[in-house]
Amino acid sequence: MIKDRQLYLYILLFFMAVEVILAFSAFGYIVIEPISITFMTIPVIFGSYVLGPLAGAILGCVFGLTSIWKASISAVAYADQVFSPILSGAPLESLILSLGTRIAFGFLAGLIFLCIRRYSLPKLYIVAGVVFVNLFHSSIVFLCLDLFFPKTNISFLYGLERLVSPSGLLNYTINVLAILLLDKFIRTDFMAKVVSELKYSNRHIRNKSFYIANISFILVLSLIFFGLMYHFYGRADNLLHYYGISLGAEVEYKLVNLGMQLVVTTVSVFIIVEIAIIIFGNYFLRLLFQSRRDMMTLLLNKNTYIRHVNASISDNTSSSYLLILDVDNFKRLNDTYGHPNGDKVLIGVAHILKSVFEDSGVVGRLGGDEFSVFCEDIPQKDIEELANQICSRVSGMKIHGVHGISCSIGVALCCPGEGFADVYPRADEALYKAKEMGKNRYFLDPSAPETGR
């Protein structure tokens, strides 16, 4: 079952959108005499299988709500009107029939599939589960019709006969084949990669503008389509009045509601398209992220960091500083405690640098155990305090089994018109001075106004 919340929401919204599209289009219920095929239960079963009982209940609720809406506004027979609390004359019974049975169906399906996955049962159990939940759904619907609405002349026994009719058997077969294909699809390398990309993006790439833009896009498209529908109905109404045709308030109300069904269906299509855009957008965001970041520490990589420093120095007219930091005796740490622990040290140093310079500088990894920080518009006193803080926090790092962690820092003042290549040698020389003075300290390049310690 999907545990990532954002991915869970994407998949749930996708199945909800599919359920709405099937409900308000010609694809949900197909009749080819004497066979009738319904696809309305498939999104509920799919969502239950992938996401679990709660999602199954939510999708069952969507299934029920669309049934109520259709039965409430369409020119339907009494057997269909009983699904509407508005038209049936028995609101509570209709809600049980339309909503209660579908929610129970989705929740039960989720429980069954959860047990099958938890105990790694063979595919035969999936087939049996699909058949059972479909039988359960149909049986409780027919039972409610028989108990609550006997005037429909749809008895429970009649329903049981329908369940084993050619239409019933064909529906079971379609549902079973669909769930087996879904099971095979979600186990493919492609699906594993899509899930991995989304999880990675959700964890490391917080691009709020991307999501705001996508939500805004859905809203704008929905408003445009709503405007088109409003214009169409207005023009159609004028045309009918021109020819002296009056539909009456009830017919106009039902036509407007049918139009709203079309709007909701179109918005559902937009949602599916947007989910696809988010998936592929996250994939390209990750590619962009990887091209700019050091993938172990998630700091800017060397090339991206140098480009940023060069652009910033050329535009800077105030005091700015370049810091070069490396871990003291890093080779000894690697040889003594192993490379995995050495990586933990580097990740820990990167975390400290990001937290200290989050609002005051740009941090990059130049390679190996060498890091760099560029700070703009900052007094010398503040940069020295920050360098001291870094040394103190690195020497206080707690990594199980690793001792003697410290760092040295070289600091150089950046002058307007200089580039990274001009400042780096001075900062690097200051780093070596710090090491000569005993390590676990910073040294400020003497060309700065004052000498550090």
Side-chain angles (χ1 to χ4, degrees):
M1 192 170 70
I2 302 295
K3 295 182 180 179
D4 184 277
R5 290 184 180 180
Q6 199 162 355
L7 184 57
Y8 182 100
L9 180 61
Y10 291 154
I11 297 173
L12 179 59
L13 283 174
F14 173 82
F15 285 129
M16 289 172 68
V18 172
E19 183 66 46
V20 170
I21 292 169
L22 291 177
F24 298 134
S25 70
F27 303 108
Y29 192 77
I30 298 174
V31 178
I32 306 173
E33 294 294 348
I35 300 295
S36 60
I37 308 169
T38 179
F39 296 99
M40 295 290 294
T41 57
I42 289 180
V44 182
I45 293 175
F46 275 21
S48 303
Y49 183 78
V50 176
L51 302 176
L54 177 60
I58 293 172
L59 290 164
C61 183
V62 174
F63 182 9
L65 289 173
T66 56
S67 298
I68 291 172
W69 193 357
K70 288 189 295 182
S72 297
I73 65 171
S74 303
V76 294
Y78 176 71
D80 294 316
Q81 290 178 4
V82 296
F83 286 88
S84 167
I86 300 171
L87 301 180
S88 67
L92 180 61
E93 288 82 353
S94 289
L95 284 173
I96 295 173
L97 173 64
S98 300
L99 274 179
T101 58
R102 273 60 186 272
I103 292 173
F105 158 57
F107 187 77
L108 178 64
L111 282 178
I112 290 173
F113 293 136
L114 183 63
C115 292
I116 290 173
R117 284 196 307 274
R118 180 166 293 177
Y119 297 106
S120 302
L121 299 177
K123 283 186 171 55
L124 181 62
Y125 285 85
I126 298 176
V127 174
V130 173
V131 174
F132 176 77
V133 294
N134 272 286
L135 284 170
F136 171 79
H137 170 244
S138 300
S139 297
I140 57 175
V141 168
F142 286 123
L143 181 62
C144 287
L145 286 170
D146 194 4
L147 291 176
F148 301 145
F149 304 102
K151 291 182 181 180
T152 60
N153 294 320
I154 299 176
S155 66
F156 181 65
L157 291 177
Y158 168 77
L160 292 180
E161 292 176 2
R162 288 282 303 273
L163 296 180
V164 295
S165 68
S167 292
L169 296 175
L170 181 59
N171 277 290
Y172 302 146
T173 303
I174 290 172
N175 277 265
V176 166
L177 291 176
I179 201 71
L180 291 177
L181 287 173
L182 174 69
D183 180 71
K184 186 174 182 179
F185 176 69
I186 61 179
R187 296 177 189 276
T188 60
D189 292 339
F190 170 78
M191 196 60 194
K193 187 174 182 180
V194 169
V195 172
S196 174
E197 297 293 346
L198 284 171
K199 285 183 177 179
Y200 183 91
S201 300
N202 295 341
R203 190 179 302 117
H204 298 303
I205 304 173
R206 305 295 182 187
N207 194 326
K208 293 183 180 178
S209 299
F210 176 73
Y211 293 103
I212 291 172
N214 278 278
I215 293 171
S216 300
F217 184 60
I218 291 179
L219 292 175
V220 169
L221 286 179
S222 302
L223 286 173
I224 290 173
F225 190 77
F226 184 81
L228 291 173
M229 290 297 300
Y230 182 81
H231 175 75
F232 171 79
Y233 274 94
R235 297 292 292 177
D237 188 58
N238 290 337
L239 184 63
L240 291 172
H241 278 89
Y242 178 80
Y243 286 103
I245 301 173
S246 178
L247 299 177
E250 183 180 354
V251 175
E252 287 185 358
Y253 168 77
K254 290 186 175 182
L255 285 175
V256 169
N257 273 277
L258 288 173
M260 290 304 299
Q261 287 184 2
L262 179 58
V263 171
V264 170
T265 306
T266 306
V267 172
S268 298
V269 174
F270 293 159
I271 289 173
I272 292 174
V273 172
E274 280 303 305
I275 290 173
I277 290 173
I278 287 173
I279 290 173
F280 288 106
N282 276 330
Y283 175 70
F284 289 114
L285 280 174
R286 178 175 181 179
L287 291 180
L288 181 62
F289 186 83
Q290 288 177 332
S291 70
R292 295 182 176 181
R293 299 277 171 172
D294 167 64
M295 296 315 297
M296 183 172 74
T297 63
L298 301 181
L299 299 177
L300 293 178
N301 61 29
K302 182 176 181 179
N303 290 335
T304 305
Y305 174 75
I306 291 174
R307 284 199 303 270
H308 180 90
V309 173
N310 285 333
S312 299
I313 293 178
S314 63
D315 296 334
N316 187 48
T317 58
S318 58
S319 60
S320 58
Y321 289 88
L322 186 74
L323 285 70
I324 303 296
L325 173 151
D326 75 4
V327 179
D328 297 327
N329 307 311
F330 184 66
K331 184 178 183 304
R332 179 182 61 79
L333 290 175
N334 263 336
D335 293 342
T336 304
Y337 303 108
H339 288 276
N341 281 321
D343 289 345
K344 291 179 182 178
V345 171
L346 296 179
I347 293 169
V349 171
H351 177 73
I352 291 171
L353 291 173
K354 282 190 291 186
S355 63
V356 171
F357 292 98
E358 184 176 9
D359 300 319
S360 57
V362 178
V363 186
R365 183 185 179 197
L366 301 183
D369 64 321
E370 188 174 41
F371 300 86
S372 183
V373 182
F374 177 73
C375 296
E376 294 183 83
D377 193 21
I378 185 169
Q380 179 180 326
K381 176 184 174 183
D382 290 350
I383 200 70
E384 292 190 69
E385 288 179 358
L386 290 171
N388 254 332
Q389 185 180 345
I390 291 297
C391 291
S392 175
R393 290 185 60 176
V394 170
S395 62
M397 282 175 57
K398 303 295 183 183
I399 296 178
H400 181 69
V402 180
H403 306 285
I405 304 169
S406 65
C407 71
S408 299
I409 304 173
V411 186
L413 177 69
C414 305
C415 301
E418 289 187 315
F420 178 84
D422 302 311
V423 187
Y424 177 81
R426 298 202 302 271
D428 192 51
E429 182 64 27
L431 172 63
Y432 278 101
K433 290 289 185 183
K435 289 186 177 295
E436 289 175 359
M437 295 170 65
K439 303 179 182 178
N440 191 24
R441 68 190 63 220
Y442 77 89
F443 185 84
L444 190 64
D445 171 44
S447 63
E450 297 179 18
T451 302
R453 61 174 181 79

